[in-house]
Amino acid sequence: MIDKNGRCIDYLRISITDRCNLRCIYCMPEEGVHAMRHEQILSFEEIERLVRIMTGLGLKHLRLTGGEPMVRRGCLELAGRLHGIPEVGSISMTSNGILLEGKVCEAKRSGISSLNISLDSLHPDTYSRLTRGGDVSRVLRTIHEALDEGIQVKINTVPVRGYNDEDLTEIAALAKNAPLCVRFIELMPIGCGGSAQRILCPEVMKKLEDAFGKPEPDPSVRGHGPARYVKYPSFQGSVGYISAVSHEFCDNCNRIRLTADGQLKLCLNHTKGIDLRGMLRTGASDEEILSAVRAAVADKPARHAFYEKISDHEDRYMNAIGG
Ligand code: SAM
Ligand code: SF4
């Protein structure tokens, strides 16, 4: 459907849990967060019902996220259920990749056609420091499994000054040697993101141009988001840049988010949205939910307001919003 700013909204990110097996320094505090209670979280039946209703508005591309989606038991079963809805065009997942090790084939069978895997360093020590304890070798094995299965792979890398500055060209080189896409995402001042220091995309582009030569725009990468893709000479895959802090990001925004506790969020950085869990649990009909979603999406905020004072500023951690 088209919002009041003329953007076509066809992409729904579904966070199925706020829990995570890692504690990335820019996402969650070391001690963890007060996790949602079981009854606060939407059941798989509730998620499936909402997706059936929302496909009626043209939301056809789905992404499962979290927290870490693979932490929730039955995550791949849910993917299979959503894949069974005829109007659903594609299902993808964003994961840190650790618990997907050995399960990529099952993910493919359940209908997942692309995986975004977060990877901020190839070095075991740096990866462990950034994620507070993660084992990078498991992530790399998952990436290889996905490539072997022919699943589309995008690597999400958040450049953080003082942590992975020197690792960025090496991560980009994954796209030189394999047909995958490496995306650099500017750190956003959400959750713990405000206390880490971002490296902006132009600086990363300069490093990569020095290392690999001048890139060409790559319009061939299929994506449902605001990344700009390029191809460096002799690369099999592509490199994407997501300048999250610039408003160009918002002008191309095509997405809304369903949080694990059933709130429909219209923008990453605004709390404005609707309590769909409340509607589901107080007996709202499909038509009532559909028209509430239609009205909310039409009124999607034009842009984030990371550095402005707004009345509905989002102050939850990224694991609760879904990234
Ligand atoms: N646990 C999964 C993962 O890490 O891929 C899915 C959820 S995570 C919140 C989704 C994405 O958000 C990850 O790629 C992560 O790097 C990114 N992210 C988390 N906090 C961020 C921040 N403050 N700024 C930019 N990206 C962030
Ligand atoms: Fe967990 Fe993903 Fe947040 Fe890292 S970015 S703490 S893996 S939810």
Side-chain angles (χ1 to χ4, degrees):
M1 77 170 275
I2 308 292
D3 76 353
K4 67 178 181 210
N5 291 296
R7 296 171 296 192
C8 174
I9 313 298
D10 62 359
Y11 176 57
L12 176 66
R13 292 178 73 99
I14 307 171
S15 173
I16 63 170
T17 179
D18 61 333
R19 296 173 193 239
C20 188
N21 54 330
L22 298 181
R23 294 283 179 273
C24 300
I25 53 126
Y26 49 74
C27 181
M28 277 173 94
E30 186 161 18
E31 64 282 10
V33 288
H34 191 70
M36 293 171 192
R37 292 190 312 279
H38 178 72
E39 64 276 15
Q40 291 178 289
I41 303 258
L42 292 186
S43 67
F44 286 170
E45 289 70 27
E46 288 173 323
I47 293 175
E48 190 179 342
R49 178 172 171 212
L50 288 177
V51 169
R52 281 187 193 279
I53 295 171
M54 288 199 242
T55 53
L57 290 171
L59 285 148
K60 54 178 187 241
H61 301 297
L62 309 181
R63 174 173 299 280
L64 301 183
T65 177
E68 170 51 42
M70 288 299 289
V71 161
R72 183 156 174 189
R73 195 171 329 137
C75 167
L76 298 180
E77 180 206 321
L78 174 68
R81 284 164 79 150
L82 300 178
H83 183 61
I85 300 174
E87 293 79 13
V88 167
S90 66
I91 305 189
S92 46
M93 184 194 283
T94 301
S95 166
N96 60 42
I98 293 200
L99 301 172
L100 266 172
E101 185 191 6
K103 297 215 167 84
V104 173
C105 178
E106 190 183 336
K108 186 179 177 185
R109 274 202 308 273
S110 67
I112 291 176
S113 56
S114 80
L115 285 173
N116 285 10
I117 302 198
S118 302
L119 175 64
D120 294 334
S121 176
L122 301 181
H123 294 277
D125 292 348
T126 311
Y127 182 83
S128 174
R129 202 157 73 91
L130 269 160
T131 56
R132 299 197 180 99
D135 174 1
V136 73
S137 65
R138 299 188 62 182
V139 187
L140 295 174
R141 283 197 289 273
T142 296
I143 293 171
H144 285 121
E145 272 178 52
L147 291 170
D148 289 348
E149 289 293 336
I151 290 194
Q152 193 193 8
V153 178
K154 289 186 182 147
I155 308 289
N156 283 348
T157 301
V158 178
V160 188
R161 182 123 19 236
Y163 284 87
N164 57 4
D165 321 39
E166 301 308 322
D167 302 352
L168 304 176
T169 44
E170 197 179 24
I171 298 174
L174 293 174
K176 179 178 166 95
N177 305 318
L180 52 72
C181 179
V182 173
R183 310 185 320 159
F184 293 100
I185 304 176
E186 279 177 359
L187 181 72
M188 290 178 259
I190 292 187
C192 297
S195 47
Q197 209 192 339
R198 84 173 53 87
I199 302 176
L200 295 174
C201 285
E203 186 175 331
V204 183
M205 289 173 190
K206 167 88 176 60
K207 269 183 199 287
L208 267 54
E209 191 166 328
D210 290 347
F212 304 117
K214 215 172 165 46
E216 296 285 335
D218 184 359
S220 71
V221 184
R222 276 196 309 119
H224 303 296
R228 263 183 304 135
Y229 293 99
V230 296
K231 212 170 178 101
Y232 290 89
S234 82
F235 268 48
Q236 294 187 49
S238 307
V239 173
Y241 293 98
I242 304 185
S243 305
V245 177
S246 79
H247 281 128
E248 188 185 332
F249 176 70
C250 304
D251 294 342
N252 297 314
C253 184
N254 59 349
R255 62 201 53 200
I256 54 174
R257 299 175 156 80
L258 181 62
T259 61
D261 58 351
Q263 308 304 301
L264 186 76
K265 271 184 70 66
L266 304 165
C267 170
L268 196 56
N269 167 240
H270 292 253
T271 52
K272 187 171 169 182
I274 12 174
D275 176 15
L276 290 176
R277 184 186 66 193
M279 293 190 79
L280 286 168
R281 296 187 185 174
T282 52
S285 67
D286 287 3
E287 291 67 33
E288 284 166 332
I289 294 175
L290 186 81
S291 58
V293 174
R294 180 184 286 123
V297 174
D299 201 30
K300 179 174 155 67
R303 49 186 46 194
H304 66 64
F306 289 143
Y307 297 108
E308 294 153 45
K309 271 206 169 355
I310 50 170
S311 57
D312 71 335
H313 199 282
E314 177 62 78
D315 57 6
R316 293 195 287 176
Y317 291 109
M318 199 66 132
N319 68 301
I321 308 169

